[in-house]
Amino acid sequence: MIKSNLNNFNGWIIIDKESGVTSRQVVNKISKILKTRKVGHGGTLDPIGTGVLPIAIGEATKLISFIQNKKKKYSFTIKWGESTDTDDIEGKVLETSNIRPNTDQIKIILSSFIGKIDQIPPIYSAIKIDGKRSYSLARKNISIQHKPRKIEVHKLILKNNFDNLADFEVICGKGTYVRALARDIAEKLNTKGHVIKLRRH
């Protein structure tokens, strides 16, 4: 809902973001349409990601931190057998594996990703290092090594597993990188993997 008074807009717009568009591009477009700089989003969604992107306008931007701290639900698909430098379909392949985990093998290891766990963010992320975005440094082939961060996974289930692909659903807390989760699930299964589909609900 958006409330306006003499061209001052305050409120939220819930965008169903398309794949291929960055969260920042969505913010910039809305800022241009409404002719205001006071626009922000309630949690970055990867460029390949689709789904819920809350956009705060005007005074609502003061509530962004509150929204970001809420649990988030994602569905995602892992392609087995290949790791990429971005941990998703947009990156270049780094390593390959012939191992394809079966359904029982996947279900057995999922419990190890529930609760408060350590996660190393992807090098292609918006994390700042000495004032510069990690993805900007990665694109320049500058070596990056992020430290593990504590995240919380409340629920993680396997929906389908077939041939080279597996569908998952996760409910997680602030700061969780689903791409990194997919990478680590694959590593736990002694194979490689990356995200090819991601949707926030």
Side-chain angles (χ1 to χ4, degrees):
M1 180 179 179
I2 300 178
K3 293 183 179 180
S4 64
N5 180 24
L6 299 177
N7 295 322
N8 291 321
F9 293 89
N10 300 285
W12 292 88
I13 298 176
I14 306 302
I15 301 293
D16 187 347
K17 191 183 86 64
E18 298 178 350
S19 180
V21 181
T22 68
S23 299
R24 174 48 53 183
Q25 287 173 332
V26 174
V27 167
N28 290 344
K29 187 170 184 178
I30 291 176
S31 177
K32 184 176 181 180
I33 292 171
L34 297 180
K35 297 179 181 179
T36 177
R37 293 182 178 180
K38 210 167 183 180
V39 181
H41 61 73
T44 301
L45 190 54
D46 288 342
I48 72 159
T50 64
V52 175
L53 181 65
I55 302 294
I57 303 165
E59 292 299 304
T61 55
K62 296 177 181 179
L63 300 175
I64 286 178
S65 60
F66 175 77
I67 294 295
Q68 289 177 333
N69 287 329
K70 293 293 185 180
K71 296 177 184 177
K72 298 178 180 67
K73 180 180 178 180
Y74 298 89
S75 55
F76 63 101
T77 301
I78 297 177
K79 179 181 179 182
W80 304 119
E82 294 177 346
S83 64
T84 69
D85 57 354
T86 59
D87 296 314
D88 64 23
I89 197 171
E90 294 188 330
K92 66 179 181 180
V93 175
L94 297 177
E95 296 181 84
T96 61
S97 172
N98 293 323
I99 297 175
R100 301 293 182 270
N102 62 42
T103 298
D104 289 339
Q105 290 171 328
I106 297 171
K107 288 183 176 180
I108 287 173
I109 63 96
L110 290 186
S111 61
S112 63
F113 292 95
I114 304 294
K116 293 182 179 181
I117 61 173
D118 289 324
Q119 182 184 77
I120 298 176
I123 60 171
Y124 282 86
S125 62
I127 294 172
K128 285 189 176 181
I129 301 175
D130 295 329
K132 295 183 178 180
R133 298 292 184 185
S134 180
Y135 58 72
S136 295
L137 298 175
R139 287 170 184 161
K140 295 176 182 178
N141 294 319
I142 296 174
S143 180
I144 302 167
Q145 184 62 53
H146 290 303
K147 295 180 180 179
R149 295 183 170 195
K150 283 290 182 184
I151 63 164
E152 187 166 10
V153 176
H154 302 277
K155 181 180 179 181
L156 177 61
I157 59 174
L158 174 68
K159 304 290 286 186
N160 293 293
N161 184 45
F162 44 95
D163 297 328
N164 292 328
L165 306 176
D167 296 325
F168 296 84
E169 183 179 286
V170 63
I171 297 176
C172 54
K174 179 182 177 181
T176 302
Y177 284 90
V178 177
R179 287 177 289 137
L181 183 62
R183 174 201 67 205
D184 295 343
I185 289 172
E187 291 288 345
K188 189 79 172 181
L189 292 163
N190 297 314
T191 186
K192 303 297 177 182
H194 65 274
V195 170
I196 62 169
K197 289 182 182 179
L198 173 66
R199 183 169 181 80
R200 185 155 67 195
H201 300 278

